[in-house]
């Protein structure tokens, strides 16, 4: 079993966001102040660097839908997508966490 | 054109139609004050940044348009925070522009440096740390657009001092910030809602601050009348339907009337518009309208299903949605339901003892209400007096009541009233306060005297933090810890020291005459209105209990 799926059902969120200091604190703060743990975070600029992509691995709970609605409300978040926990973006990283 | 960042800010505020800025200068925002010196915009000098924030809120709540406050870096910004958080919870459009230490010094623990951006992330709709003067051309209009679009809210723009001083050249002014168009309304959902309203036997209309914000109060009455919907309101929605409308059932929740909360128990459909199912309104959520299906319209998608799972939900502006719904709505008579609601109202009315006695809470409120007409604006502070006003003041106009509903900020009332008076100087503004709340922004009396605003402050004085004492009496065995004020400065004496006319109703021969005289004189005044120290706000739902479990008398004797 993957180390990234130790407990509960996981889901992977893909966010397209503005690229400036402070965006991460908006996104992570949203989860933190609702006591919703973020298990994994990846962030890199895309295209010409105006935008970034944030990959989040989170537990799937009944509050996830609410969290996604809140993410969509953030001015710096342009798109919110949802994938299964088996999305390869985190799978490929496993080697770095052994 | 060639201008400094500070000049760009002021010019953009002028173009935005801003007429007043409430604030306080300090080292890191002095360039903006220097630019303001040349401007037509009137600066209102607060005596504490929190006062400036609440004055701006008073303007925004009165006009429905974003208002602006200024503060310097560090303590200036932290002092604004309560007013910003308050605006977030009550969805008030506010643009707070703060000075910051120069970019090169950010992160060095410079003098009066604080992470304003970081501190305001959770309490704003959005915030900016501006990195160049050119960026301001984009950020300032955007700040207004965000503050007023969709569900309104506060926006912070943090501007480092060197950015304010930086010279930049540009060709044209940007468009001023304006409201983004509303989301398209799904009319199939509206058809389904109409059908559910038609089929319901015992529906209730549940309205809140969203009605006031979207200007939908006339539509609320039209919809309620056409479909015979008895209507309950949250604290923030008071005035959306006139208090004496035959279908109006008053404020629900913790200090609502018994009949109001009983009607909610009986209903089979809740038609909720512009409300967020706050815990003070719902009581224990699992038992809130346990027999009812919920249909919910709100402009904020994240409110739909947050607390109560609706059968039908619509993300829409209340005014637009209610207009479309009204156009589809047939006349629906419900003689039995309306009659049984009226019977409830007669059998379990809101008790307002002492309404004639000016030394009783409801008496003060009634006498003040008699001296005013519906054009007056009422603000409150927070505590017992706020709930007494919510219960007993005859609100007949949306936007007539300005109160800190979500955050519950003591100290809100006086500066918010001043903001209302700045925005609409032709109206009389009455601030109901308590002796606890009054002291929390008492320094703004200096600004009040300076601006000579038409604000009448009525301090309902019981020598206690009354709502705290009430909870101690009811739920903590009557052990009064920290709720009695041993030193009790007389509000009338305080006011006179600030140069504000004042009177004390205590022990005078004709207190009612004195009250009327003070309320009818132009300009500001402070009225000390002593009330009994044992007064309670009843009925009351104990915190955490279901709305049906209201208490109406003292069940635990004071120690």
């Amino acid at each position: 079993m993957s180390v990234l799926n130790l407990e509960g059902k996981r889901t992977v969120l893909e966010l397209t966001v503005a690229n400036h200091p402070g965006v991460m604190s908006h996104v992570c703060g949203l989860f933190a102040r609702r006591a919703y743990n973020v298990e994994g975070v990846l962030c890199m600029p895309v295209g010409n660097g105006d935008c970034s992509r944030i990959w989040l691995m989170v537990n799937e709970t009944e509050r996830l839908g609410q969290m996604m609605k809140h993410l969509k409300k953030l001015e710096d978040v342009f798109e919110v997508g949802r994938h299964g926990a088996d999305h390869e973006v985190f799978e490929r990283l496993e080697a770095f966490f052994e | 054109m060639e201008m400094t960042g500070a000049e760009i800010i002021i010019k953009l505020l002028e173009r935005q139609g801003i007429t007043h800025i409430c604030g306080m200068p300090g080292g890191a925002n002095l360039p903006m004050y220097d630019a303001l010196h040349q401007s037509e915009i009137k600066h209102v000098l607060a005596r504490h940044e929190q006062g400036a924030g609440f004055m701006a809120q008073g303007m925004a709540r009165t006009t429905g348009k974003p208002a602006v406050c200024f503060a310097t870096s560090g303590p200036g910004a932290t002092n604004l925070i309560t007013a910003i958080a308050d605006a977030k919870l009550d969805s008030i459009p506010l643009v707070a522009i703060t000075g910051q230490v120069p970019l090169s010094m950010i992160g060095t623990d410079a003098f009066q440096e604080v992470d304003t951006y970081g501190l305001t992330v959770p309490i704003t709709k959005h915030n900016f740390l501006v990195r160049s003067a050119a960026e301001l051309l984009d950020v300032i209009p955007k700040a207004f657009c965000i503050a007023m679009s969709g569900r309104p809210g506060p926006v912070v723009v943090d501007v480092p001092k060197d950015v304010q001083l930086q010279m930049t050249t540009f060709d044209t002014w940007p468009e001023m910030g304006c409201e983004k168009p509303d989301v398209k309304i799904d009319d199939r959902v509206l058809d389904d809602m109409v059908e559910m309203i038609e089929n319901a036997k015992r529906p209730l209309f549940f309205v809140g601050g969203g009605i006031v914000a979207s200007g939908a109060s006339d539509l609320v009455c039209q919809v309620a009348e056409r479909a015979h919907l008895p209507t309950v309101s949250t604290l923030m929605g008071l005035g959306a339907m006139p208090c004496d409308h035959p279908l109006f059932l008053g404020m629900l929740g913790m200090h609502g009337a018994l009949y109001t909360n009983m009607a909610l128990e009986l209903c089979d459909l809740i038609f909720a518009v512009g409300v967020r199912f706050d815990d003070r309104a719902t009581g224990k959520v699992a038992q809130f309208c346990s027999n009812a299906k919920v249909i919910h319209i709100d402009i904020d998608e994240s409110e739909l299903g947050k607390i109560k799972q609706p059968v039908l939900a619509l993300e829409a502006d209340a005014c637009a949605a209610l207009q479309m719904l009204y156009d589809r709505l047939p006349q629906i008579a419900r003689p039995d339901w309306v009659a049984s609601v009226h019977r409830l109202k007669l059998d379990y009315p809101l008790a307002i003892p002492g309404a004639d006695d000016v030394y009783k809470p409801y008496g003060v409120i009634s006498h003040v209400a008699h001296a005013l007409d519906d054009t007056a604006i009422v603000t409150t502070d927070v505590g017992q007096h706020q709930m007494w006003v919510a219960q007993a003041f005859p609100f007949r106009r949306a936007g007539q009541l300005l109160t800190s509903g979500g955050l519950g900020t003591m100290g809100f009332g006086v500066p918010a009233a001043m903001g209302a008076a700045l925005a609409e100087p032709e109206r009389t503004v009455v601030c109901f306060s308590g002796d606890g709340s009054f002291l929390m922004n008492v320094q703004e009396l200096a600004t009040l005297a300076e601006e000579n605003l038409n604000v009448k402050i009525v301090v309902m004085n019981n020598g206690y933090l009354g709502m705290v004492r009430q909870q101690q009496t009811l739920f903590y065995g009557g052990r009064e810890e920290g709720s009695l004020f041993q030193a009790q400065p007389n509000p009338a004496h305080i006011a006179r020291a600030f140069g504000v006319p004042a009177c004390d109703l205590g022990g005078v021969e004709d207190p009612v005459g004195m009250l009327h005289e003070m309320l009818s004189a132009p300009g500001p005044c402070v009225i000390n209105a002593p009330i009994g120290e044992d007064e309670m706000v009843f009925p009351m739902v104990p915190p955490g209990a279901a709305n049906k479990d209201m208490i109406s008398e003292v069940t635990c004797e004071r120690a």
Side-chain angles (χ1 to χ4, degrees), chain B residues 95-335:
Chain B
V95 175
I97 302 179
T98 50
Q100 182 55 280
V101 301
L103 278 172
S104 60
M105 292 173 78
I106 286 182
T108 66
D109 298 328
F111 177 65
Q112 293 194 330
E113 181 189 357
V114 79
D115 177 11
T116 305
Y117 183 90
L119 282 169
T120 55
V121 165
I123 55 161
T124 52
K125 202 172 162 196
H126 192 55
N127 57 1
F128 298 92
L129 171 58
V130 183
R131 290 180 181 77
S132 71
E135 222 178 276
L136 286 163
L137 294 163
D138 183 42
V139 165
I140 300 288
K142 210 166 161 193
F144 281 92
C145 172
I146 293 168
M148 69 176 108
S149 296
R151 179 180 185 169
V155 177
V156 165
V157 184
D158 196 29
V159 192
K161 190 177 181 185
D162 53 341
V163 172
Q164 297 171 45
L165 293 168
Q166 187 185 29
M167 199 62 95
T168 191
T169 52
F170 56 101
D171 297 331
T172 52
W173 287 105
E175 291 287 307
M176 65 179 218
C178 54
E179 218 178 319
K180 271 188 258 172
D182 295 327
V183 285
K184 183 158 176 353
I185 294 176
D186 183 347
D187 32 2
R188 282 167 314 174
V189 180
L190 279 176
D191 291 335
D192 294 344
M193 285 185 173
V194 168
E195 199 184 316
M196 282 194 72
I197 293 169
E198 262 190 282
N199 293 336
K201 296 269 184 305
R202 300 179 305 280
L204 278 184
F205 200 178
F206 177 23
V207 298
I211 300 295
V212 178
S214 77
S217 56
D218 290 346
L219 274 163
V220 164
C221 295
Q222 288 169 24
V223 167
E225 285 162 16
R226 187 173 278 190
H228 284 90
L229 299 173
T231 303
V232 300
S233 171
T234 66
L235 175 65
M236 294 300 290
L238 287 176
M241 182 181 261
C243 63
D244 30 24
H245 192 289
L247 286 166
F248 190 57
L249 295 184
M251 180 177 74
L252 81 164
M254 184 172 267
H255 293 292
L258 203 51
Y259 71 85
T260 314
N261 286 337
M262 287 172 83
L264 286 154
E265 275 299 299
L266 292 177
C267 74
D268 65 353
L269 179 75
I270 286 282
F271 177 33
V273 185
V275 298
R276 59 183 178 86
F277 293 88
D278 174 73
D279 56 279
R280 298 287 136 146
T282 63
K284 192 176 184 180
V285 175
Q287 290 177 50
F288 176 66
C289 306
S290 41
N291 302 312
K293 289 179 174 152
V294 175
I295 55 181
H296 192 183
I297 298 176
D298 200 274
I299 199 160
D300 181 356
E301 196 203 355
S302 69
E303 289 299 342
L304 306 171
K306 184 181 84 172
I307 305 289
K308 273 293 235 189
Q309 204 53 52
V311 181
L312 293 170
L314 182 64
E315 176 192 359
D317 171 64
C319 193
L322 284 177
Q323 183 64 59
M324 287 175 70
L325 183 119
Y326 180 72
D327 295 340
R328 290 166 164 72
L329 194 67
Q331 283 276 354
I332 310 165
R334 315 174 198 274

Side-chain angles (χ1 to χ4, degrees), chain B residues 407-420:
Chain B
L407 194 66
T409 312
M410 291 170 69
F412 169 91
V414 170
M418 290 163 60

Side-chain angles (χ1 to χ4, degrees), chain A residues 53-94:
Chain A
R53 180 142 310 132
I54 300 179
W55 295 90
L56 298 175
M57 175 173 277
V58 295
N59 283 324
E60 204 174 301
T61 75
E62 76 267 14
R63 290 192 295 141
L64 186 59
Q66 181 71 19
M67 298 306 294
M68 289 180 66
K69 287 179 183 175
H70 280 290
L71 281 171
K72 285 179 196 157
K73 278 169 65 177
L74 292 178
E75 287 293 327
D76 286 328
V77 174
F78 308 131
E79 280 172 59
V80 181
R82 184 173 169 179
H83 304 277
D86 53 351
H87 193 275
E88 60 177 2
V89 65
F90 283 101
E91 299 276 331
R92 288 205 211 162
L93 281 171
E94 281 186 31

